Amino acid sequence: MVPGPTALPPSVVAAGARPILYHRADEFTTLWAETLSALGRVFQTGGEVLVLTGSGSGAMASAVVNLARPGERVLVASCGAFGDRWAEIAVEGGIGIRHVAGEWGRPVDPDAVAAALAEEPGIGVVLTTQCETSTGVVNDLPALREAVGDRILVADAVSGLAVVDLPMDRWGIDVVVGGSQKGLMTPPGLGMVAVNERALAWSEAHGDPGYLLSWARTRAGQNQLPRRTAFTPPVTLVAQLHEALRLIEAEGLPRVYERHRVLGRACRAAVGALGLTPLGAEDPEANVCTAFWNPPGVEGETIPRLMKARFGVEVAGGQGRLAGRMVRIGHCGWYAWGDILNAAGALELVLVELGLPVEPGDGVRAVQRVIADAGPGVP
Ligand SMILES: Cc1ncc(COP(=O)(O)O)c(C=O)c1O
């Protein structure tokens, strides 16, 4: 139960055991065309979803280099380790940044973004994060859309895609970045960028992407009929993604979001019932992972280490400046209420072992209460 890479449904595992497909054969091009159209529905866009071989950071890097050249300036609106990654990618590429760096554990302040842009009206691109996986906080993208005016707005949804609702076209987000290994229930190795017409036009005028990360080249590959790719794709990952998207669509996106809402609520309830202090304010949409501070007297990665050693439940510690200070329980992707119950049970037993004032059953009961309140049919 870490926030990525996440567990795979059995049929996605099985799809990975298929014989390798030749990427120019009909078997693959049909699968690929179906995958691209399903991705469009999951990104909630009528625009193009470009698929790149690489991790989520590769897809982020593609957004930076396709939207800005060395010497140009962009605004980075961050509130944690992954938001700060935008700044690192831009700076390494010689792109200047205006950095609105919010407090870790709180969402980005749209007013601070608007104020920074008022001081630098020449900036045309704003890079931010939907769910900041290092803290579990989800940013208010509609408010950020409002704050940035008509500039190109890029949202990293690597962890929030197919977990937290993000109607890209309706909210007018120009670029949404995704990755295969979280809500999409596929192994790591595929990055995605959904790009609208405005962003494509901007990239033609401003991009300096080089060969491999070029949106234009990727797009030209994908737009062939039958659908193809610019380079040899990781055919096995595509087959697995195809199956995972089938499962997501069979469940139905609204139900997928609702399931994550219930799981997030249940996990936060357990954390609260165990007297732990969550990072960030209560947010019904913060459903990628549940983050809490180490209780007083508990050092470093003690809780993740004991949960794994004693009960085989794998949770994550902190990242970057929060390393060794906190715990994150992931619940994005192929999770059901029993997983939260299991994690809560393991957590409370570890807290008991550490001598904290917790009664076995406190966390589990809180999870059950949320599930009971959610009514029948909770997965
Ligand atoms: C919000 C967010 N952005 C970007 C990334 C980076 O993705 P990757 O590790 O696949 O490069 C992650 C991965 O944890 C993430 O959660």
Side-chain angles (χ1 to χ4, degrees):
M1 300 195 67
V2 298
T6 62
L8 305 185
S11 63
V12 176
V13 175
R18 288 174 60 150
I20 293 294
L21 297 171
Y22 175 39
H23 63 293
R24 297 187 192 284
D26 291 349
E27 290 88 339
F28 182 80
T29 55
T30 304
L31 196 88
W32 181 229
E34 288 171 4
T35 302
L36 291 176
S37 51
L39 276 176
R41 295 188 290 274
V42 168
F43 276 88
Q44 302 187 59
T45 181
E48 301 212 34
V49 184
L50 306 176
V51 181
L52 305 164
T53 303
S55 76
S57 303
M60 290 172 74
S62 86
V64 173
V65 296
N66 279 277
L67 293 170
R69 287 194 199 101
E72 291 184 348
R73 283 174 71 72
V74 297
L75 185 140
V76 172
S78 72
C79 60
F82 290 106
D84 286 355
R85 187 165 297 181
W86 282 126
E88 291 159 14
I89 295 168
V91 167
E92 283 208 3
I95 294 158
I97 55 164
R98 173 76 185 235
H99 197 169
V100 177
E103 197 184 318
W104 289 31
R106 285 177 182 275
V108 169
D109 175 6
D111 292 340
V113 172
L117 289 170
E119 284 174 19
E120 288 203 55
I123 286 180
V125 175
V126 175
L127 305 159
T128 194
T129 316
Q130 180 209 24
C131 173
E132 178 49 73
T133 324
S134 62
T135 63
V137 163
V138 170
N139 282 313
D140 185 346
L141 291 180
L144 285 167
R145 173 73 272 172
E146 186 98 13
V148 310
D150 64 359
R151 294 171 179 85
I152 299 290
L153 179 60
V154 182
D156 163 8
V158 167
S159 62
L161 189 69
V163 176
V164 178
D165 195 13
L166 200 184
M168 171 174 171
D169 287 358
R170 185 150 56 81
W171 287 357
I173 315 296
D174 299 292
V175 180
V176 175
V177 177
S180 52
Q181 77 273 27
K182 300 176 194 263
L184 292 184
M185 310 187 298
T186 299
L190 286 173
M192 298 127 212
V193 249
V195 187
N196 70 11
E197 285 299 327
R198 256 163 53 87
L200 285 172
W202 179 278
S203 79
E204 274 161 31
H206 294 262
D208 183 17
Y211 196 86
L212 202 58
L213 295 181
S214 161
W215 286 352
R217 184 168 285 106
T218 304
R219 196 170 166 231
Q222 289 186 189
N223 281 349
Q224 297 167 81
L225 286 176
R227 299 275 178 223
R228 293 194 192 282
T229 52
F231 321 111
T232 310
V235 289
T236 306
L237 291 180
V238 172
Q240 291 182 285
L241 178 61
H242 180 269
E243 170 58 14
L245 291 166
R246 189 191 67 74
L247 294 175
I248 287 169
E249 297 213 285
E251 185 176 354
L253 262 187
R255 259 184 78 78
V256 169
Y257 299 137
E258 189 52 30
R259 172 167 54 83
H260 284 98
R261 281 191 200 101
V262 174
L263 300 186
R265 196 152 71 232
C267 200
R268 291 190 296 275
V271 162
L274 293 170
L276 299 162
T277 308
L279 257 88
E282 170 62 21
D283 174 357
E285 292 299 296
N287 300 321
V288 165
C289 62
T290 297
F292 57 89
W293 296 107
N294 279 346
V298 175
E299 298 295 330
E301 304 260 332
T302 305
I303 291 177
R305 186 172 48 77
L306 287 177
M307 284 178 73
K308 184 168 182 187
R310 301 278 189 268
F311 305 108
V313 176
E314 191 159 37
V315 299
Q319 273 177 291
R321 70 176 77 150
L322 297 180
R325 297 175 57 198
M326 56 166 308
V327 178
R328 291 173 301 149
I329 302 177
H331 31 73
C332 48
W334 187 55
Y335 294 102
W337 71 276
D339 298 308
I340 308 294
L341 202 62
N342 195 40
L347 175 60
E348 66 191 20
L349 288 176
V350 163
L351 297 180
V352 169
E353 178 178 338
L354 292 170
L356 283 129
V358 165
E359 280 300 314
D362 286 351
V364 165
R365 200 173 315 112
V367 171
Q368 287 176 319
R369 206 166 289 131
V370 170
I371 304 302
D373 288 348
V378 172

